[in-house]
Structure formats: C-alpha cells, structure tokens
C-alpha cells in the first residue's frame, strides 16, 4: 500500500548513522520495518543527523545536517529507490 522512508539519525551512543529504513503498511493493515537495499560497490552516504530530506519522484534527497565531526560541511546525497544506488552531488 505504501511506505515511509527514513534516513540517518543518531545511535544510543550519539554516533551519526547512515542507514535508510522503510516502514511498510500491508493490505492486511500490518506494519513492518525493512532496511533499504543499496549497492555495496558504491560509496555509502555520510552518516548524519538533524538533516532534511524530501522525495522527488523515486529519489530521496538528503541535505545538510551534522556528522560526528564538528563543523564538517555535509553535502547533498540522493538515494534512487528504483536502482538502490546512492549518489553524491556537489552543493554550493
């Protein structure tokens, strides 16, 4: 029926995370969490929290946020849900 996708955040010991999860609702009304697949031959996204995200079509855009390194400039990354690939992009 549908899915909500979330990315990143912080672990219990305050480490920035770089995983994506989907919360699916089934026709039966049941919900479950599934880890978003990705292709291991590509660089994983930068772990971050306090970032913004939005969907444009089938792509999830991740922008800004904080990492484990104070003051680090965090660029934009895109997750293509159709190909399970992460892309890094240049930002201004």
């Amino acid at each position: 029926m549908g899915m909500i996708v979330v990315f990143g955040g912080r672990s219990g010991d305050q480490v920035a995370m770089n995983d994506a999860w989907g919360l699916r609702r089934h026709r039966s009304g049941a919900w479950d969490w599934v880890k978003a697949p990705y292709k291991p031959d590509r660089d994983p996204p930068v772990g971050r929290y306090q970032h913004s995200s939005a969907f444009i079509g089938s792509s999830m855009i991740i922008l800004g946020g904080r990492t484990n390194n104070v003051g680090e400039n965090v660029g934009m990354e895109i997750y293509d849900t159709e190909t399970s690939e992460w892309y890094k992009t240049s930002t201004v």
Side-chain angles (χ1 to χ4, degrees):
M1 286 188 77
M3 181 181 292
I4 298 170
V5 180
V6 294
F7 169 80
R10 283 192 286 189
S11 66
D13 56 355
Q14 304 303 308
V15 174
M17 300 171 70
N18 70 343
D19 52 350
W21 289 83
L23 178 60
R24 298 185 297 190
R25 182 165 186 223
H26 298 273
R27 287 190 172 94
S28 68
W31 293 85
D32 69 343
W33 285 100
V34 293
K35 189 165 185 173
Y38 72 94
K39 295 189 177 173
D41 60 333
R42 299 187 75 97
D43 287 336
V46 173
R48 61 182 84 195
Y49 58 95
Q50 294 181 356
H51 55 280
S52 296
S53 63
F55 265 88
I56 298 176
S58 62
S59 296
M60 180 172 61
I61 313 300
I62 307 294
L63 183 63
R66 296 180 179 204
T67 68
N68 295 327
N69 303 316
V70 175
E72 180 177 4
N73 184 14
V74 186
M76 182 171 64
E77 298 187 73
I78 301 168
Y79 178 65
D80 185 329
T81 61
E82 291 183 356
T83 64
S84 301
E85 293 180 304
W86 281 99
Y87 298 94
K88 296 183 185 304
T89 63
S90 300
T91 55
V92 178

